Amino acid sequence: MSFRIPRISISLKLIFTVIIFALLLVVSSITVFRLSSDKKPRKHFEEFMRKFERNIVSNIGIPPDTLKAKEICDELGIEMRFDSPNMEWASDKKVPNIEDIFIPPHLRTRFDRGEPITVIHNSIPYSIFHYPEGIFIIQPLNPSSFFKPERAVIFMLIAIVIIITLLYLLLRYIFSPLKDLSKAVHQIGDGNYNVKVDTSRKDELGELAGSINTMSAKISNSVKAKEQLLIDVSHELRSPITRIKLGLELDSPKEKIEEDVNEMEKMVSSLLENYRADNTLADLKIDRTELVSLIEDTIAEYSANERIKFEKPNGEINFKCDADKLQIVFRNLIDNALKYSNGDIKISITEQLSEIWITFEDNGIGISDEDLKYIFEPFYRADRSRSRSTGGFGLGLSICKKIVDAHKGEIEIKSKINEGTKIFLKFKTEI
Ligand code: ADP
């Protein structure tokens, strides 16, 4: 049983990365904060408050000895205010007096009973001690006095270095194939088409690697096919040229020489015709065309038309298209079916809903699955030696595809070696 790695897109990977690192940041910030803070046991707070109260009273008395009170405030890093009908004193003007502090109702009763309470005012927790002689308001320690910024900075720096290193390593892993891909593209640019990039990654970069491999294989095939074509064309032209030269030397009859010249002309013009069709696709001459009679007209051009069986539908099928270009497609497909089979070839056309289907079927030699992958590439021929004898240049199907694409249609080939080939043309009626 083979294990399949699920495809995870790069964006998803980045999202995971950001989430993981955001979590790491939060956890490390909390840890840094904890490590750089002195632990103050909260449960002892009440007890601390009572001791504090006793200490204050015994040390500074009520009403307070302001000198002693100031001393204690400086020593502990706190601020204090005492309010009574006879005396108003504060270690710092910023400590609010009791009228300014809002005491919530649930604390009010405790305050009235004379118990110590803690009230938040302007985000600062004030401890309030209510005596019959007056009220003490105590502003607690400034947090910065127990926060160690230098420790925080060191821990933060360590955390940042670790996080950035991890982030760098992870991103380097995610984008590692990019280096190979760009190297491969450069090699292809330099004319080395035997490039193979690793496609094991299950994400967009893996897909891109696959596309680069296919692209280089296609370019390689196309270049090889062109080279082969050059060899084939020169070879094919050499025979009639040699015959003409010989004929001229031996004073052969004019007709023989004319025959050879015609053969050469046919070869060159078919090559040119295909190129021309390719280059004029941008300006299609779209006209309402009756396809059944267009197919019949095309069949009528063939002297061997008794081999072509057209399953003519009842009625007309109209389509807005460039009739001349479509005729090139029909001719190429009929030529191929006649060339690569000995029996009858079947042509049919149907219109259903808003789609027109035209099929060309033969029982000939067929095309292998491997060749089918490249069959629409210019100059690609399934079997070069075979095609030479049939006189093809491997341009027909590539031109057909371009014309069909220009009509926003589809061309599909189903073929089996030694069983035959069926080619489907599909067009949408509104183009
Ligand atoms: P060619 O001019 O060589 O026929 P095409 O582009 O029309 O060029 O076809 C490309 C190749 O596809 C051909 O060389 C041939 O090997 C194969 N082929 C095309 N049509 C058929 C068919 N009906 N039966 C078998 N092989 C075919």
Side-chain angles (χ1 to χ4, degrees), residues 336 339-340 362 367 375 380-382 386-387 392-394 396-397:
N336 283 348
K339 270 194 293 192
Y340 303 113
D362 66 65
I367 306 166
I375 212 74
Y380 190 86
R381 287 168 300 157
R386 180 181 93 187
S387 298
F393 298 110
L397 285 180

Side-chain angles (χ1 to χ4, degrees), residues 284-380:
L284 286 180
K285 291 183 198 71
I286 303 285
D287 252 328
R288 195 181 139 94
T289 310
E290 207 286 292
L291 290 182
V292 178
S293 36
L294 188 71
I295 295 173
E296 278 185 317
D297 292 349
T298 319
I299 295 171
E301 292 171 4
Y302 289 82
S303 52
N305 61 11
E306 72 280 353
R307 276 181 63 200
I308 307 169
K309 308 290 179 214
F310 180 32
E311 292 167 8
K312 203 175 150 186
N314 298 323
E316 298 184 338
I317 294 182
N318 289 296
F319 181 47
K320 281 190 188 153
C321 62
D322 185 327
D324 290 343
K325 295 283 178 327
L326 270 200
Q327 232 179 353
I328 293 176
V329 176
F330 298 160
R331 276 188 208 120
N332 274 312
L333 298 183
I334 295 172
D335 283 347
N336 283 348
L338 289 174
K339 270 194 293 192
Y340 303 113
S341 79
N342 293 320
D344 287 347
I345 65 170
K346 261 194 272 171
I347 303 177
S348 66
I349 177 165
T350 52
E351 184 177 16
Q352 256 179 25
L353 301 170
S354 54
E355 247 187 18
I356 297 172
W357 283 44
I358 310 171
T359 56
F360 297 78
E361 191 176 355
D362 66 65
N363 300 314
I365 55 176
I367 306 166
S368 72
D369 285 346
E370 190 50 34
D371 287 324
L372 274 181
K373 284 192 218 157
Y374 306 106
I375 212 74
F376 293 114
E377 298 300 312
F379 302 109
Y380 190 86

Side-chain angles (χ1 to χ4, degrees), residues 96-295:
N97 62 36
I98 196 72
E99 281 86 34
D100 295 335
I101 299 175
F102 169 72
I103 301 174
H106 70 281
L107 291 177
R108 171 61 68 181
T109 39
R110 289 180 60 189
F111 173 77
D112 291 343
R113 274 207 300 266
E115 287 173 26
I117 57 166
T118 301
V119 177
I120 310 284
H121 175 77
N122 288 343
S123 311
I124 301 172
Y126 289 97
S127 295
I128 303 171
F129 302 95
H130 188 190
Y131 295 99
E133 298 88 344
I135 297 164
F136 278 106
I137 299 168
I138 307 213
Q139 184 178 308
L141 280 174
N142 183 344
S144 66
S145 61
F146 56 86
F147 180 70
K148 307 275 180 293
E150 55 305 326
R151 248 203 261 177
V153 168
I154 292 170
F155 284 122
M156 206 61 206
L157 279 178
I158 295 173
I160 287 174
V161 168
I162 293 173
I163 289 171
I164 289 180
T165 314
L166 282 177
L167 192 65
Y168 169 74
L169 290 175
L170 202 84
L171 289 179
R172 212 173 75 154
Y173 163 73
I174 291 175
F175 292 108
S176 56
L178 278 181
K179 228 177 166 180
D180 290 342
L181 291 179
S182 92
K183 207 169 122 193
V185 171
H186 273 106
Q187 282 178 321
I188 295 171
D190 290 342
N192 173 11
Y193 305 119
N194 298 321
V195 177
K196 273 266 171 290
V197 206
D198 177 23
T199 54
S200 57
R201 281 280 291 266
K202 301 288 170 211
D203 56 22
E204 286 90 340
L205 293 181
E207 283 165 14
L208 185 62
S211 310
I212 288 180
N213 286 345
T214 320
M215 180 184 81
S216 63
K218 280 185 174 178
I219 298 177
S220 167
N221 272 321
S222 175
V223 170
K224 275 190 206 142
K226 276 185 186 171
E227 283 168 2
Q228 189 61 41
L229 176 84
L230 203 68
I231 296 166
D232 288 353
V233 170
S234 344
H235 186 273
E236 297 294 320
L237 286 176
R238 217 166 43 194
S239 321
I241 288 173
T242 318
R243 280 199 301 269
I244 293 169
K245 265 172 81 179
L246 241 137
L248 287 173
E249 273 170 26
L250 299 176
D251 261 346
S252 296
K254 198 176 154 223
E255 294 73 39
K256 274 253 178 245
I257 296 175
E258 250 174 24
E259 222 173 79
D260 285 328
V261 171
N262 287 343
E263 189 189 319
M264 283 164 60
E265 195 187 5
K266 213 172 117 198
M267 198 188 303
V268 172
S269 63
S270 81
L271 208 60
L272 283 176
E273 184 193 305
N274 277 307
Y275 264 121
R276 217 172 286 133
D278 197 3
N279 292 332
T280 52
L281 284 180
D283 38 80
L284 286 180
K285 291 183 198 71
I286 303 285
D287 252 328
R288 195 181 139 94
T289 310
E290 207 286 292
L291 290 182
V292 178
S293 36
L294 188 71
I295 295 173

